[in-house]
Amino acid sequence: MAPLVKEKMSSVENSAGIYDVSHAMPGDYFSLMKPRVMRLVVFTALAGMLVAPGAIDPVIGLISILCIAIGAGASGALNMWFDADIDAVMTRTANRPIPAGNVTANEALNFGVVLSVLSVLTLGLLVNWVAGGLLAFTIFFYAVIYTMWLKRSTPQNIVIGGAAGAFPPMIGWACVSGSLTLEGIVLFAIIFVWTPPHFWALALWKMRDYDDAHVPMMPNVVGEKSTRNQMLAYSLLLAPVGVAPALMGFGGLTYAVVSAVSGAVFLWLAYKVWLNGGEDARLMAEKRLFGFSIFYLFALFGTLFLEAVVFRLTGIQYLLAGVL
Amino acid sequence: MTTRESNAQDIERVALTEKQQRSRRSRNIAIGLSLFALVVVFYGATISKFGPQIMDRHIESGGGFNQ
């Protein structure tokens, strides 16, 4: 990976040779943790934690969220360490700390390993080992299974690798309940099924980037038409999976309405992507679907979050079963 | 020249640029703050986990060791 990464580390020469001296700022290390991904992780984990049956001490709950966020950040740093060569090629990632020359790959690796160990041990010892084990598995899955193996070898990379991003609500649930239940798995399934249409919408207009980096994304390997077919298929699956929490009784009436309406809009936008078939050179349908997909996930987990807060504060909960 | 003086002359010193010094200072501050945050987190976790009774300790008369 080294040859493609810009060597901007400051070199200081003396009689014994040249020493690389880091000029990385704390902000560079923070960037290694992929703060935007961390935000989504924190949000979904918090929702999973609040929806789960049972109670958790607020301080322990706060530390749990911190551990999950730092664990996610650690896997981001490990991803950037391994992917520095392809990050340097793609416009979207060329300014990341390693290709930009602000942090060395070794510094990123050490940072990622230390944070991984710290977050998993703290969560395991302080909360429970179901949550700690899940966090460890998530980091392993993202850094090793997805980054090192799947990403460069199969167009199904983000389908299987999407599991890493789907674990946080399950970990949040496990922090409170101490177990893995069907409800936690449903929260996992929502993000898991959501990932392919979300990511492929982006991949369709960033195809050339992935091509340059030799990353086998679905549109580059099987073509745009097949990708659009698959996006529609996943969206068809996502609509009922998204409503499942309301049907199972851990999402309320508001959630039922929000998930049904936004699921229908998601499906409509995916249908437009499928229908246009890339005729629009600006790929507006794809961009619209990508933008809405982010809103969709925030809407679903945001509603679950708000309903759980209202229920925990007031004891009021309107369920779909009470209306039907 | 003593051996110690000779060794001192052999030590290679690196003169950092102002940018490198500034970034190193920032990193040191960030590490310090992170360690302080870690102390606060573990203190809070201990009190939350064990409750105030963690402060109730019987001191054996004469022995001086906590039981």
Side-chain angles (χ1 to χ4, degrees), chain A residues 78 87 191 210 258 269 301:
Chain A
L78 293 173
D87 282 351
I191 304 179
Y210 287 110
V258 170
L269 291 174
F301 280 89

Side-chain angles (χ1 to χ4, degrees), chain A residues 124-141:
Chain A
L125 290 169
L126 202 61
V127 184
N128 63 63
W129 280 106
V130 176
L134 270 175
L135 183 62
F137 184 69
T138 305
I139 297 170
F140 170 78
F141 198 92

